[in-house]
Amino acid sequence: MATEIPPDLSEVVTSGTTGQISSFCPQSWRSLHQNVIERRKLITMLASRVPGSFHFRTQTTPNDTKTRLYFLGMTSKGRENTLLYVDLPSTTPEVASVLPQWPLLESFSASLPTSQLSREEQLMRERKRMGTYGITSYELIEWQGKFVFPASNSLYTCVDVDITTTDPVYPVNIGTRVEGARLDPKVCPTNTQLLAFINQSDIWVTNLENGEECRLTFTKKGSGNLEEEPLSAGVPSFVVQEEFDRYTSYWWSPAPLQGHDPDISDQSDSSYCLLYEEVDEGDVEILNIFSPSVEGRNVDQYRYPRAGTPNAKSVLKLVKFSLGPSGKFGQVQHYQLYEPLLTFFPWMEYMVRAGWTPDAKHVYAELLDREQKHLSVVLIPVDFFVPVQNFGDEDMNVDSVRKTVPSLSVIYEENSDIWVNTHDILHFLPHSVPTEVKFLWASEKSGFRHLYRVKSKLESCDKQLCAMDLLEEGQDGHCKANVIQEEMLTSGDWEVNGKQIWVDEEREIVYFIGLKDNVLETHLYAVSYTRPSEPVRLTALGYSHSVSFNSDCLSFVSVYSSVSETTSCAVYRILHDNGPIRTRTWGIIMPPIACPDYHAPELFCYQSDSGFVHHGLFFHPHGEEGGKKYPTVLMVYGGPQVQQVTNSFKGIRFLRHHALASNGYAVVVIDGRGSCGRGLKFESHIKDRLGTVEIEDQIEGLQFLSSAGFCVDMDRVGIHGWSYGGYLSLLGIAQRPDVFKVGIAGAPVVNWQLYDTGYTERYLNVPSRNEAGYRQGSVLSHVDKFPDEENRILIIHGLIDENVHFHHTSALITALVKACKPYRLQIYPNERHGIRNHEASEHYKTMILSFLQNHL
């Protein structure tokens, strides 16, 4: 089922986009700007209503059982995310219908311009690549119907008491006495009146019942001086957030602590515990960035570890506190590891994941070495944490506190000659033997990421053996995982997505997202983890799916789309009776939108000389006439960890592509070797040689299109990309000026020695071990090859970019001036790595159209 585009908007977006305007009839800046506005309205309308962050809630009444599905989305007249819901039918219908959506909150606005967000919130949005506004996350306590969410620089709570009615819910502001943003809020699973949050890099907890607050950690003294205050609690380092996709550093205990030590074990209902990471950035370089947007000063400071320089150090700690009968906070006790993890794992550089086991008897940590070729999953008994008698006294003698402690265990190891890609798949399974542990895990040891069921023995680590140097050839005495049994649940030349799995322990089934049927489409699959067989696909071919499950794994939501069909959303029931597992549609939340003015790109593929099949997207110029060649723009990313070419509707992310096509350009996107989703062999093509091989894959794709009859004009090809794509845009115009007439580089990396450790060293090693790779992969090594003609290079950069900081562009400009090479530069003073401001985004897209119109 498809709905038509609203008539009022249809009249706007179908005007003024006639096709090959840029080729034959140059437009004014205002005309180009208007075109950008029109195209943005169209794509925004098609993409902005997409729901997300789903939670099911079922409520039983004397007469019926009701299920309500909550999610984040926009109302028909809204421009920001809010909480919405649909009520699902009591029985699964034979023919599913579109369900009416209702706003949950009464008269609530969460709108705040980016400039009014705190610095911490702005940086969090950058790390998460967040483009939406309003309510962007929430936590639901399902059995109570209680919500907690951040919005408008505040925290709010509300309760949806009765899901049999459609009465609106009124949110209540959670008051506070702290100054500044309260981030990363989390409700205590054993007492939903307790809410923890981060404020100025320390952990606080508030009692929602009486408004009492308690500061749990004291790493910051309030000076705001990075040099004087290098510690933080509950906040991951920049590299862990940016390169390992972990955005939190504290975790509530899921149950009362179950250790043997009476000091730490507590069965009472009034004692609570959090695990947290304390980060020490004292050795990390401080980066100064000119920041005209920072009030009262012109320079902002960040801790930023360049390749080859020291990283932040991490330690795990516990904090335990009590709650009195009156709801007031009692004694706060801190615990630290009896022995530092570095004692056992001297090779440890990054703590990429951490958390609790479901029974709260252990915490786990995933430790990665600096080369990112070795990872250990470590299980730490809660008794391994000992109380800090005088918190903050660095001279305290831990040995005086405890003489005998249980040791930690390594339960799994990953080793790779290429690199270990981190993921979020670790699920502990029920087990009855106290000396063993069972869990589900994902590994790329076969060359593709697949699922495994693992049973390991809990064996004590010997710190003397662990202290032996892992990097020294021939040493093999370090703590090893004693894996008793390991069974592969999936296999083949395809990948399991590493973001999430869903486990039905009652039926012993694991659900996962994978690329089994089509490398361009993500689908939901099910496989038994006790009797593995061929995985069963549960979603329809021809689309890419993103799913969310309910708590018993009997229902799920799929948000799906294709290149030719805009995003849809539906709810499904999983049926286990009468034969193989199957699904039935429960209800439709959002049908696709039929829009005559939307021009879908075309998927293409070809057999590369590399031996792989390469995939691409081709956006035909609007108004294309048969037999004509059109100016062509190669929109490039070309780096690792990204798969641009998929059978899905890209929405706002590809707005530039649609704007170019509507102005008469052919637009090309190609995933060459080095991109993800195709296994380690395909991805590792760029190992130790970034920037030396990617451009040839892109050119091969252009040549294929030209020879295959696509309307590519090989005499008028421009290359444009952002971040890694900006880097390749510069290399493209330097390495192959005969192919690329112009290059537009957005926020480009120009020298890998200026970029961060976690990303750069994964692919290039440390600079001292790969001097040739760093030198050959640097744009600065190719400056003499840049063209001498004017208007062939345009560089774009946000001045307060804290990821690919402006030092990159500054170094490039210095080299271009020294070599007397022409260039053009566009700066956005108040933008970071992504251009978030609406006006700046429109200016940027208009400028691209103008530059290409005049010079391509």
Side-chain angles (χ1 to χ4, degrees):
M1 180 185 292
T3 58
E4 290 295 329
I5 182 172
D8 56 339
L9 190 54
S10 179
E11 292 175 2
V12 173
V13 299
T14 55
S15 62
T17 55
T18 55
Q20 318 125 18
I21 297 173
S22 65
S23 299
F24 305 105
C25 181
Q27 299 181 78
S28 67
W29 177 276
R30 289 300 170 194
S31 178
L32 293 171
H33 181 214
Q34 185 60 35
N35 183 277
V36 168
I37 293 173
E38 292 167 356
R39 194 54 38 181
R40 185 185 185 95
K41 285 181 179 178
L42 170 64
I43 302 301
T44 300
M45 185 279 301
L46 295 176
S48 63
R49 309 296 172 189
V50 177
S53 301
F54 298 92
H55 286 84
F56 290 81
R57 181 180 174 219
T58 299
Q59 194 173 47
T60 301
T61 67
N63 300 320
D64 203 357
T65 297
K66 297 286 187 180
T67 299
R68 179 166 286 182
L69 178 65
Y70 304 95
F71 53 92
L72 292 179
M74 294 185 186
T75 61
S76 58
K77 297 182 180 180
R79 295 183 178 275
E80 60 188 34
N81 268 1
T82 188
L83 278 164
L84 305 173
Y85 69 87
V86 296
D87 287 320
L88 297 168
S90 298
T91 59
T92 309
E94 290 295 327
V95 179
S97 61
V98 179
L99 304 173
Q101 300 181 16
W102 303 92
L104 179 67
L105 307 178
E106 176 71 15
S107 302
F108 180 80
S109 175
S111 180
L112 265 185
T114 304
S115 59
Q116 294 183 20
L117 295 174
S118 68
R119 178 178 182 269
E120 292 85 356
E121 287 172 295
Q122 291 182 40
L123 295 178
M124 177 196 69
R125 292 176 64 86
E126 287 294 316
R127 300 289 74 77
K128 294 183 176 181
R129 306 299 191 264
M130 193 180 295
T132 57
Y133 290 91
I135 302 175
T136 56
S137 64
Y138 69 96
E139 187 172 359
L140 169 64
I141 297 88
E142 186 177 333
W143 65 276
Q144 285 181 312
K146 178 189 284 187
F147 295 81
V148 173
F149 59 89
S152 302
N153 280 340
S154 298
L155 297 180
Y156 294 85
T157 184
C158 62
V159 181
D160 189 16
V161 178
D162 186 2
I163 68 173
T164 63
T165 71
T166 57
D167 295 338
V169 173
Y170 296 88
V172 176
N173 191 318
I174 301 172
T176 183
R177 61 182 174 86
V178 305
E179 295 182 359
R182 289 174 291 166
L183 304 175
D184 197 15
K186 297 180 185 179
V187 176
C188 175
T190 58
N191 183 346
T192 59
Q193 294 298 331
L194 296 178
L195 175 68
F197 59 87
I198 302 296
N199 174 249
Q200 298 183 17
S201 298
D202 272 307
I203 305 172
W204 290 67
V205 63
T206 185
N207 187 340
L208 299 178
E209 197 167 30
N210 59 15
E212 289 280 332
E213 286 184 326
C214 180
R215 183 176 178 180
L216 298 179
T217 63
F218 293 84
T219 62
K220 299 297 184 185
K221 309 303 180 186
S223 72
N225 188 309
L226 287 186
E227 292 187 13
E228 296 177 0
E229 299 185 6
L231 299 181
S232 62
V235 181
S237 67
F238 167 84
V239 165
V240 168
Q241 293 185 57
E242 179 67 27
E243 309 304 353
F244 298 108
D245 299 330
R246 175 163 65 84
Y247 308 107
T248 191
S249 274
Y250 78 98
W251 305 265
W252 282 104
S253 170
L257 297 190
Q258 299 293 308
H260 300 289
D261 183 352
D263 289 334
I264 199 168
S265 179
D266 197 324
Q267 302 294 328
S268 72
D269 294 333
S270 61
S271 184
Y272 306 93
C273 185
L274 295 104
L275 168 72
Y276 70 94
E277 178 188 28
E278 184 177 273
V279 176
D280 183 353
E281 296 185 294
D283 294 332
V284 179
E285 291 183 336
I286 295 177
L287 176 69
N288 296 301
I289 295 181
F290 175 73
S291 182
S293 62
V294 178
E295 294 182 4
R297 64 183 190 273
N298 292 324
V299 175
D300 209 359
Q301 292 187 321
Y302 302 86
R303 294 280 188 176
Y304 190 94
R306 295 181 297 109
T309 67
N311 277 306
K313 298 180 177 65
S314 293
V315 295
L316 285 177
K317 294 185 175 183
L318 298 179
V319 57
K320 182 179 171 184
F321 65 91
S322 60
L323 198 67
S326 63
K328 290 186 176 295
F329 292 100
Q331 181 182 6
V332 177
Q333 175 66 60
H334 289 262
Y335 297 80
Q336 63 186 26
L337 292 171
Y338 176 69
E339 291 276 3
L341 290 175
L342 280 170
T343 301
F344 297 87
F345 310 100
W347 47 264
M348 164 191 165
E349 188 72 19
Y350 305 103
M351 186 186 302
V352 292
R353 298 289 184 271
W356 294 88
T357 57
D359 58 9
K361 292 182 179 179
H362 298 82
V363 301
Y364 70 88
E366 297 179 23
L367 311 178
L368 189 64
D369 70 335
R370 181 139 191 170
E371 284 192 284
Q372 302 182 45
K373 293 182 177 181
H374 177 80
L375 181 141
S376 287
V377 184
V378 182
L379 215 56
I380 308 170
V382 293
D383 288 345
F384 197 76
F385 292 87
V386 294
V388 179
Q389 300 302 308
N390 300 298
F391 186 64
D393 182 2
E394 297 180 356
D395 297 326
M396 64 158 290
N397 185 359
V398 177
D399 290 332
S400 67
V401 180
R402 284 289 299 272
K403 297 297 183 183
T404 305
V405 294
S407 186
L408 45 79
S409 304
V410 178
I411 61 172
Y412 201 81
E413 287 182 295
E414 284 281 350
N415 292 285
S416 174
D417 293 332
I418 300 169
W419 54 68
V420 176
N421 285 314
T422 57
H423 55 76
D424 294 320
I425 297 177
L426 174 59
H427 181 90
F428 290 97
L429 296 168
H431 62 282
S432 56
V433 182
T435 58
E436 296 177 354
V437 61
K438 298 179 181 179
F439 56 95
L440 301 178
W441 178 255
S443 171
E444 291 180 290
K445 63 175 63 179
S446 70
F448 294 83
R449 184 186 297 112
H450 282 293
L451 296 179
Y452 294 79
R453 179 170 60 91
V454 182
K455 179 167 69 173
S456 293
K457 187 174 183 179
L458 300 182
E459 287 193 333
S460 297
C461 277
D462 187 324
K463 65 181 180 182
Q464 292 180 338
L465 290 177
C466 287
M468 300 174 73
D469 187 4
L470 258 181
L471 299 178
E472 190 173 325
E473 192 171 344
Q475 297 288 357
D476 198 29
H478 65 284
C479 282
K480 288 184 174 293
N482 190 347
V483 176
I484 302 171
Q485 184 181 21
E486 183 174 13
E487 186 170 14
M488 200 173 187
L489 305 180
T490 62
S491 62
D493 292 348
W494 54 275
E495 289 211 341
V496 170
N497 184 285
K499 291 298 181 184
Q500 191 174 8
I501 58 173
W502 301 267
V503 181
D504 182 345
E505 294 181 355
E506 179 181 343
R507 298 168 184 81
E508 299 178 326
I509 294 173
V510 55
Y511 298 92
F512 64 92
I513 295 293
L515 299 169
K516 183 177 185 297
D517 287 271
N518 189 330
V519 72
L520 305 184
E521 295 178 3
T522 50
H523 287 282
L524 175 65
Y525 297 88
V527 67
S528 169
Y529 59 81
T530 55
R531 298 176 300 278
S533 58
E534 188 71 10
V536 177
R537 177 175 46 79
L538 299 175
T539 47
L541 291 173
Y543 304 90
S544 290
H545 297 258
S546 173
V547 306
S548 301
F549 270 81
N550 70 340
S551 56
D552 62 9
C553 289
L554 292 177
S555 308
F556 69 91
V557 182
S558 176
V559 178
Y560 58 96
S561 66
S562 67
V563 292
S564 58
E565 189 171 298
T566 60
T567 307
S568 304
C569 180
V571 193
Y572 300 87
R573 279 256 177 92
I574 296 179
L575 307 177
H576 294 276
D577 54 338
N578 300 324
I581 183 173
R582 65 193 191 282
T583 65
R584 177 179 291 176
T585 307
W586 195 353
I588 299 170
I589 299 175
M590 187 180 76
I593 298 175
C595 176
D597 198 47
Y598 171 65
H599 294 67
E602 178 182 346
L603 289 164
F604 67 90
C605 65
Y606 62 94
Q607 183 68 46
S608 168
D609 291 340
S610 66
F612 294 97
V613 173
H614 287 190
H615 296 269
L617 284 168
F618 187 80
F619 293 74
H620 290 268
H622 296 192
E624 178 183 355
E625 298 179 19
K628 285 190 175 182
K629 300 292 184 181
Y630 289 81
T632 302
V633 181
L634 176 69
M635 299 294 285
V636 63
Y637 182 80
Q641 296 184 304
V642 171
Q643 183 183 12
Q644 289 196 109
V645 181
T646 59
N647 186 23
S648 61
F649 176 68
K650 301 298 193 302
I652 293 297
R653 286 189 296 133
F654 274 19
L655 176 58
R656 291 171 297 172
H657 307 55
H658 292 289
L660 287 166
S662 71
N663 276 268
Y665 296 93
V667 182
V668 180
V669 181
I670 298 166
D671 279 343
R673 289 168 293 175
S675 57
C676 69
R678 304 284 301 277
L680 269 178
K681 184 178 180 181
F682 190 83
E683 185 183 17
S684 65
H685 181 69
I686 44 85
K687 176 177 167 58
D688 294 333
R689 52 178 183 171
L690 295 181
T692 61
V693 292
E694 298 93 315
I695 291 298
E696 292 307 315
D697 278 2
Q698 300 292 319
I699 293 175
E700 183 187 34
L702 289 170
Q703 292 170 338
F704 161 78
L705 290 170
S706 179
S707 63
F710 286 78
C711 61
V712 171
D713 187 344
M714 290 298 291
D715 293 326
R716 290 186 294 168
V717 178
I719 182 171
H720 175 36
W722 203 267
S723 194
Y724 200 98
Y727 165 66
L728 289 187
S729 297
L730 291 172
L731 289 179
I733 198 72
Q735 294 174 356
R736 295 301 301 270
D738 57 318
V739 174
F740 300 109
K741 188 176 180 181
V742 296
I744 306 172
V749 177
V750 304
N751 181 354
W752 288 109
Q753 293 193 58
L754 298 177
Y755 199 57
D756 74 55
T757 52
Y759 185 95
T760 310
E761 294 172 6
R762 182 186 308 146
Y763 306 117
L764 285 178
N765 210 322
V766 295
S768 61
R769 295 181 182 172
N770 187 15
E771 292 181 4
Y774 277 84
R775 183 175 60 255
Q776 294 167 8
S778 172
V779 175
L780 302 181
S781 298
H782 301 270
V783 167
D784 61 323
K785 301 175 187 175
F786 278 81
D788 292 318
E789 298 87 358
E790 295 184 67
N791 297 311
R792 293 190 65 180
I793 302 172
L794 173 60
I795 307 163
I796 309 166
H797 215 138
L799 197 58
I800 59 173
D801 189 336
E802 83 298 330
N803 183 356
V804 182
H805 44 84
F806 193 77
H807 292 175
H808 287 265
T809 288
S810 180
L812 175 60
I813 291 172
T814 299
L816 290 171
V817 170
K818 185 177 180 180
C820 201
K821 295 287 185 177
Y823 68 93
R824 289 184 57 180
L825 174 66
Q826 174 64 50
I827 295 173
Y828 291 97
N830 296 314
E831 298 299 323
R832 299 185 184 277
H833 192 53
I835 297 181
R836 307 293 181 188
N837 180 273
H838 179 75
E839 289 79 12
S841 177
E842 286 189 357
H843 183 277
Y844 152 64
K845 293 178 177 66
T846 304
M847 182 190 57
I848 296 298
L849 291 175
S850 178
F851 182 82
L852 292 172
Q853 173 183 266
N854 295 330
H855 306 297
L856 182 62

